[in-house]
Amino acid sequence: MSLGPLYNYFKSKDELLEEIFRRSVEDIHASFVQSPEQGGSGIEQHIRQTVKLLKEKQDFWKLLHGIRIQSEVVRQLMTEMQEQTAYIEDRIRQNLIEAGIPFPDLEAKLLFASIDGMSSHFLLYDHYPIDDVASLLIMKYKK
């Protein structure tokens, strides 16, 4: 698709970027919704839901991944990105506290970085073993 038709839906590049970011926020929030039917801890459910979202919307997440490393975009969306990072770390920290994991503040940063790295590798490399990596990550936080 060329850029012309995009402007039928969005007034500017900035508006398009904001919409892409808004949709990613919706997915991230959905990844924290716990379901008793799924079983497992909040940590496990979050990791599994993240993997599911990445697989179902791989093209979207590849697009976002490419956009978020562009310095112009980072400057433009810095406040929103910082708010989102704080939200994610807080939700992860709450899940760690509920699971009785020691040092939940530091572990939240470690787990967030691990999920982010796992996600990035999945989006960048064909045949990345995301299910195996996710399972290993889940095992690290099981009591």
Side-chain angles (χ1 to χ4, degrees), residues 111-139:
L111 180 52
F112 183 23
S114 297
I115 292 170
D116 191 50
M118 174 187 72
S119 300
S120 294
H121 280 78
F122 173 72
L123 296 170
L124 289 172
Y125 304 112
D126 292 338
H127 312 295
Y128 181 76
I130 193 166
D131 293 315
D132 294 335
V133 173
S135 293
L136 189 60
L137 197 51
I138 291 165
M139 285 178 11

Side-chain angles (χ1 to χ4, degrees), residues 15-125:
E15 188 176 289
L16 173 61
L17 290 173
E18 288 169 10
E19 179 61 18
I20 291 169
F21 186 76
R22 187 191 64 73
R23 288 187 185 194
S24 74
V25 168
E26 287 177 3
D27 281 353
I28 291 167
H29 284 241
S31 74
F32 284 104
V33 174
Q34 294 185 24
S35 170
E37 299 86 43
Q38 283 184 329
S41 69
I43 297 165
E44 180 175 352
Q45 287 189 28
H46 171 63
I47 293 169
R48 292 197 188 286
Q49 187 64 19
T50 298
V51 169
K52 182 179 178 211
L53 285 168
L54 288 168
K55 288 179 173 181
E56 288 175 354
K57 299 180 179 183
Q58 189 171 359
D59 289 338
F60 172 78
W61 284 99
K62 279 184 179 182
L63 171 67
L64 181 67
H65 182 74
I67 290 171
R68 79 175 194 174
I69 60 173
Q70 296 178 27
S71 59
E72 175 188 330
V73 174
V74 170
R75 279 192 301 276
Q76 182 178 337
L77 296 173
M78 181 57 75
T79 301
E80 291 89 345
M81 291 172 76
Q82 288 173 333
E83 289 171 358
Q84 195 56 31
T85 296
Y87 170 81
I88 293 167
E89 282 187 7
D90 184 60
R91 291 300 306 266
I92 291 172
R93 185 176 56 77
Q94 290 301 321
N95 284 336
L96 292 166
I97 290 169
E98 288 172 15
I101 304 296
F103 312 109
D105 291 333
L106 286 175
E107 282 290 345
K109 291 181 182 309
L110 177 61
L111 180 52
F112 183 23
S114 297
I115 292 170
D116 191 50
M118 174 187 72
S119 300
S120 294
H121 280 78
F122 173 72
L123 296 170
L124 289 172
Y125 304 112

